[in-house]
Amino acid sequence: MRALLVVNPAATTTSARTRDVLIHALASEMKLEAVTTEYRGHARDLGRRAAESADIELVVALGGDGTVNEVVNGLLHGGPDPDRLPGLAVVPGGSTNVFARALGLPNDAVEATGALLDALRERRERTVGLGLASGTVGTVDEQAPPRWFTFCAGLGFDAGVVGRVEQQRERGKRSTHALYVRQVVRQFFEDPHRRNGTITLERPGEDPVTDLVLSIICNTSPWTYLGNRPVYASPEASFDTALDVLALDRMSTAAVARYATQLLTSTPERGPRGKHAVSLHDLTDFTLHSKVPLPFQMDGDHLGLRTSVTFTGVRRALRVIV
């Protein structure tokens, strides 16, 4: 098997020595080309190169969720075709690694490499669904390029938190769970739209859901992890279905305390609920509109401000080694 290994040298939980050990372990089992990313978007370019190659059968992403997202967008540049495109394998190296952990992989890079080699020997793989977000036709965002996401997206409050974390990381702060918690608190007190929701969710054949403050789109469950604790925003979300949505139409102090507690105590059977929570399951097509530009994120990557995003849940989009 010929494989391309995409290595993010800035991965937060792997050292250069560990990465060398992993590369040698993988190279012992396949014809491996290892490339270290050098700029934002490089992993996407490498994924696209692999998709257009005649002989690369597998792309291994060594990094965090951002690296995985870029590789996936490169692989699917010409659209999903699981039977033709190279498969994807993930070795987690970031701070959270939601996609890898949702697939059932160990969160330790060395253990995950061992599991990957076992999966290759035993020919274990699955085809997963993904989400696609595009600029909405007829809006100021219609020129926004379509982009795939593997586990979640968000418009509004949670995307604002992601943006704040990225700003702190650019100033040299480490990506820790404590950092995220601090930015959640700051976003809550400084968000000008949390009292009066500006988001409307529209889907074919249904009445619109209006005045939403927060909207989280999940392609799998859990939504994220706080340390080793999984957090379930949409417990029914799955790689085998389309997209799920959790939205809130109020973020008062009392409401935030209630829903934050429900998230922290959520389980695979029970997520946030209540009169201010909207939970929707297995949506193939829907659009989020906002009266004002709001922060937008995909797979933990802040993408700036948007006023309208159209989402598509695509089943059987990508072949993954598990």
Side-chain angles (χ1 to χ4, degrees):
M1 173 182 287
R2 184 180 173 200
L4 173 66
L5 174 64
V6 179
V7 182
N8 179 2
T12 56
T13 58
T14 56
S15 65
R17 178 176 295 180
T18 300
R19 289 192 288 272
D20 286 343
V21 170
L22 301 182
I23 289 171
H24 285 300
L26 292 169
S28 68
E29 298 287 337
M30 62 190 77
K31 186 177 180 181
L32 186 72
E33 176 188 1
V35 181
T36 299
T37 57
E38 299 176 354
Y39 54 86
R40 189 181 181 99
H42 193 184
R44 180 196 62 230
D45 296 341
L46 292 169
R48 180 174 180 178
R49 192 191 95 189
E52 295 171 349
S53 169
D55 56 357
I56 294 178
E57 300 173 69
L58 176 69
V59 179
V60 184
L62 172 51
D65 288 311
T67 302
V68 174
N69 180 278
E70 285 195 12
V71 169
V72 167
N73 275 277
L75 284 171
L76 300 187
H77 176 80
D81 189 348
D83 296 328
R84 180 187 66 82
L85 291 172
L88 172 70
V90 179
V91 177
S95 59
T96 310
N97 308 306
V98 178
F99 181 66
R101 294 164 84 175
L103 287 170
L105 293 171
N107 197 38
D108 177 81
V110 175
E111 292 183 14
T113 300
L116 167 60
L117 293 174
D118 287 343
L120 289 170
R121 296 185 192 107
E122 297 169 13
R123 300 183 180 275
R124 295 199 312 265
E125 61 181 42
R126 64 180 292 191
T127 302
V128 300
L130 298 173
L132 180 65
S134 311
T136 305
V137 175
T139 72
V140 295
D141 292 315
E142 66 178 338
Q143 297 302 317
R147 180 162 169 169
W148 296 90
F149 60 97
T150 63
F151 64 92
C152 84
L155 180 69
F157 185 88
D158 78 301
V161 173
V162 170
R164 288 174 179 272
V165 170
E166 288 193 4
Q167 289 177 351
Q168 294 298 312
R169 293 187 66 181
E170 290 171 359
R171 295 170 185 167
K173 298 290 182 65
R174 290 190 59 205
S175 178
T176 63
H177 298 293
L179 176 62
Y180 274 90
V181 171
R182 289 196 299 272
Q183 301 315 312
V184 167
V185 174
R186 290 177 180 174
Q187 181 70 18
F188 174 74
F189 285 109
E190 298 177 18
D191 190 330
H193 307 296
R194 68 178 177 84
R195 296 186 182 277
N196 299 295
T198 65
I199 302 171
T200 296
L201 186 152
E202 295 181 351
R203 49 190 169 138
E206 301 288 346
D207 292 334
V209 184
T210 62
D211 302 325
L212 301 173
V213 178
L214 173 151
S215 54
I216 296 171
I217 300 91
C218 292
N219 184 52
T220 189
S221 185
W223 164 51
T224 190
Y225 291 82
L226 190 60
N228 290 322
R229 179 191 292 273
V231 180
Y232 299 90
S234 297
E236 291 185 284
S238 165
F239 287 127
D240 298 320
T241 60
L243 301 174
D244 283 27
V245 177
L246 170 68
L248 301 179
D249 64 13
R250 176 174 295 184
M251 290 196 69
S252 63
T253 302
V256 167
R258 180 185 313 114
Y259 292 118
T261 300
Q262 290 180 357
L263 279 170
L264 291 174
T265 58
S266 58
T267 70
E269 293 76 33
R270 192 170 178 83
R273 64 264 174 213
K275 65 179 181 179
H276 298 297
V278 177
S279 296
L280 302 171
H281 175 57
D282 198 15
L283 303 185
T284 301
D285 299 285
F286 63 96
T287 298
L288 295 176
H289 300 285
S290 174
K291 299 172 186 176
V292 298
L294 292 177
F296 179 54
Q297 69 88 11
M298 297 175 66
D299 285 349
D301 187 11
H302 187 261
L303 300 179
L305 302 178
R306 300 283 180 88
T307 57
S308 187
V309 185
T310 294
F311 293 90
T312 306
V314 180
R315 293 176 173 83
R316 294 186 51 79
L318 185 68
R319 191 164 44 89
V320 181
I321 309 301
V322 291

